[in-house]
Structures are given as structure tokens and as C-alpha cells.
């Protein structure tokens, strides 16, 4: 395994924050702060901000993503957005299987798999979220949960299509709580998930896949987390809403 072969990716998950004017202002503030980034920089914004964010980021190194998509190409699915609709508006990334979707909106491993496959088919790059609840960590089944979520999400995904997947390990107990996993816990879980990918797709694919950590990552703890062999980037919630904080994490990931 060789970390230097993998591209670091820092993605902001704005969740349900920022109206269009605020989105435009945040991207504008971010542009000069991350223009020299040595990693990929993505902002995953609410659906209503996609067009504004895409225009604000046009011609810069910031890429725009959505936070979910439906698995059908179109049809009677009130309030849903298809992967093709995102692709058509020039959005290259989409988060799928975020724990807030799983916790509050009935997202299941099977529907995560359907969304992942539809997004890949539409030509999007997927940020696939997996991670355990606190009770599951306390029962020592973090590995089993992450393996199950990863395997079901990737069912039917070819080795070639895997190149368009980033995995984000996000322990649910660390999201928005200010409780970060220790760098050792993050490194261990990310390494475990890489092992699951290796079992499914072989060593080369496992070595190449970017695996992020997410959960209260911030300007202060980013370097230590990113120094872990298996932590190739971050999915950032709260700290992605302030340009200087997000830029500091991008800087941490840009160190050689
Ligand atoms: P947080 O969120 O950084 O606010 O903990 C991370 C996420 O939910 O992706």
C-alpha cells in the first residue's frame, strides 16, 4: 500500500446550509484561499445552490457536488433529483449514503447501492459514506458494519467503475458532535475498509481508492488525521461553512 499514489480529496458537505447569495459569497471567498491546493477541492451544496456554486467556481480548481440523487432516470418520484439531472447541469460529484440520510430519511444499504450505480452510470463521481453508530463501536462491530455497508453499496460495481468512487469513513458518533475519532481510530477503520476493497477488487484497486475520514474534522486536527497512512482526505461538515477553516484543511492535505 502506498499513500503517495493516491490523490488527496477534501470535500465540504454544506448539508442544508447557505442560500444562493451566501453560497456565491462563500465560494468567492474560498477561491483565492485554495487556488494553490495540492489536493482536489470539492463543495457539496444544497440542490438549490448547485447552479450558483457551479458558476462561482467556474474556471477555478473548486469542483461542485450534490448531496444525494435518485436511482431512476426519471419518473413519478416527487421531490427527487436524478443523477442525469445533475450531470446535465455540469455537476460532477455526489455524496451518497450519508449517515443523516440513513438516520433521518430511511436510507438503507440497498437504496445506497441503487443510487451509487445510477450515479456511476450517469458519469458522476460518488462520495460513498459508511460508518458505525456509537452503540456499534461499543459492541466492537465497527469492522462488520463498515464491511457490510461497503460491500452492499458496491454490489454490481465493476472494477473499472470503482475508479469513480471515493469512500468516506464517517463514524456517526463523530458527526457534528465535536467528538473526533482519534487519528488511530480513523486510520484503523480506513485501513480496514481498504482491506474490504482489496478482498472485492484486488490490491491495485485498494491501493488506488481514495478513502476520506469525516466527523468533526477541523483546522486543528486535520494534519494529524491526514498523516494516517489510510486517510486520504476529508469530508467536512461544519468546518466547510467558513472559508478560512476549510482552506486550512485543504492546506493540511496539500502538504507533500
Ligand atoms: P462534521 O460533518 O464535520 O460537521 O462533523 C461531517 C459530515 O457529516 O460529513
Amino acid at each position: 500500500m502506498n499513500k503517495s499514489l493516491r490523490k488527496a480529496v477534501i470535500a465540504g458537505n454544506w448539508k442544508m446550509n447557505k442560500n444562493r447569495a451566501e453560497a456565491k459569497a462563500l465560494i468567492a471567498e474560498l477561491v483565492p484561499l485554495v487556488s494553490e491546493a495540492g489536493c482536489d477541492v470539492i463543495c457539496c451544496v444544497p440542490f438549490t445552490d448547485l447552479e450558483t456554486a457551479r458558476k462561482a467556481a467556474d474556471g477555478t480548481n473548486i469542483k461542485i457536488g450534490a448531496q444525494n440523487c435518485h436511482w431512476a432516470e426519471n419518473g413519478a418520484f416527487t421531490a427527487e433529483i436524478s443523477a442525469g439531472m445533475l450531470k446535465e447541469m455540469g455537476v460532477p460529484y455526489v455524496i451518497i449514503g450519508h449517515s443523516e440520510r440513513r438516520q433521518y430519511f430511511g436510507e438503507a444499504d440497498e437504496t445506497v447501492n441503487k443510487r451509487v450505480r445510477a450515479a456511476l452510470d450517469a458519469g458522476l463521481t460518488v462520495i460513498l459514506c459508511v460508518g458505525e453508530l456509537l452503540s456499534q463501536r461499543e459492541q466492537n462491530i465497527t469492522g462488520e458494519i463498515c464491511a457490510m455497508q461497503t460491500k452492499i453499496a458496491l454490489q454490481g460495481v465493476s472494477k473499472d467503475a470503482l475508479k469513480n468512487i471515493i469512500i468516506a469513513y464517517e463514524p456517526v458518533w463523530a458527526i457534528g458532535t465535536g467528538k473526533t475519532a482519534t487519528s488511530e481510530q480513523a486510520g484503523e477503520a480506513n485501513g480496514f475498509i481498504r482491506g474490504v476493497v482489496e478482498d472485492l477488487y484486488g490490491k491495485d484497486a485498494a491501493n488506488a481508492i481514495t478513502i476520506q475520514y469525516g466527523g468533526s474534522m477541523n483546522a486543528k486536527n486535520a494534519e494529524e488525521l491526514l498523516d494516517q497512512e489510510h486517510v486520504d482526505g476529508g469530508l467536512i461538515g461544519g468546518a466547510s461553512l467558513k472559508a478560512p477553516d476549510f482552506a486550512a484543511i485543504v492546506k493540511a492535505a496539500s502538504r507533500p
Side-chain angles (χ1 to χ4, degrees):
M1 297 294 170
N2 187 347
K3 187 178 171 100
S4 64
L5 294 176
R6 298 188 288 271
K7 182 113 182 150
V9 182
I10 298 296
N13 174 12
W14 291 10
K15 310 192 180 185
M16 195 175 72
N17 292 293
K18 306 287 176 190
N19 63 26
R20 286 179 301 166
E22 291 163 345
K24 193 175 171 187
L26 178 51
I27 301 265
E29 194 183 349
L30 206 51
V31 166
L33 300 180
V34 302
S35 62
E36 305 289 317
C39 63
D40 283 354
V41 182
I42 306 166
C43 293
C44 297
V45 308
F47 287 128
T48 48
D49 288 340
L50 284 170
E51 183 77 13
T52 304
R54 196 183 54 72
K55 281 189 185 144
D58 196 28
T60 77
N61 59 330
I62 299 173
K63 297 174 186 116
I64 302 301
Q67 300 170 9
N68 192 20
C69 69
H70 196 263
W71 54 84
E73 280 178 33
N74 47 52
F77 300 103
T78 300
E80 292 294 318
I81 303 284
S82 75
M85 289 170 176
L86 297 176
K87 181 72 181 173
E88 188 268 341
M89 75 185 295
V91 173
Y93 290 89
V94 63
I95 296 173
I96 293 181
H98 191 277
S99 64
E100 285 150 18
R101 301 300 314 168
R102 296 178 191 258
Q103 272 184 295
Y104 308 134
F105 301 99
E107 185 80 82
D109 290 323
E110 290 70 23
T111 49
V112 169
N113 174 247
K114 286 164 96 170
R115 293 183 210 276
V116 165
R117 287 177 16 190
L120 293 171
D121 286 348
L124 302 179
T125 296
V126 170
I127 300 176
L128 164 66
C129 301
V130 300
E132 83 287 2
L133 304 170
L134 182 58
S135 58
Q136 294 165 334
R137 176 162 282 268
E138 286 170 353
Q139 283 175 74
N140 276 324
I141 54 171
T142 296
E144 284 96 326
I145 295 296
C146 291
M148 182 183 71
Q149 291 181 354
T150 304
K151 285 181 185 176
I152 297 175
L154 295 179
Q155 207 182 3
V157 172
S158 70
K159 190 170 175 178
D160 201 41
L162 189 75
K163 292 183 186 129
N164 293 320
I165 293 200
I166 293 166
I167 297 177
Y169 166 62
E170 297 209 311
V172 179
W173 47 273
I175 294 178
T177 58
K179 263 191 215 162
T180 323
T182 64
S183 51
E184 288 76 22
Q185 286 171 326
E188 189 187 12
N190 279 35
F192 179 84
I193 293 165
R194 197 178 304 285
V196 172
V197 174
E198 182 174 352
D199 289 346
L200 294 173
Y201 296 97
K203 213 174 184 69
D204 289 355
N207 208 5
I209 194 165
T210 294
I211 306 184
Q212 301 173 317
Y213 166 78
S216 300
M217 195 191 256
N218 58 38
K220 285 205 180 82
N221 59 28
E223 285 201 5
E224 195 186 330
L225 287 160
L226 292 164
D227 280 345
Q228 289 288 318
E229 167 67 23
H230 293 290
V231 177
D232 307 315
L235 183 56
I236 323 297
S240 72
L241 299 173
K242 293 203 179 104
D245 291 7
F246 190 59
I249 300 170
V250 168
K251 197 170 164 203
S254 300
R255 291 168 303 151

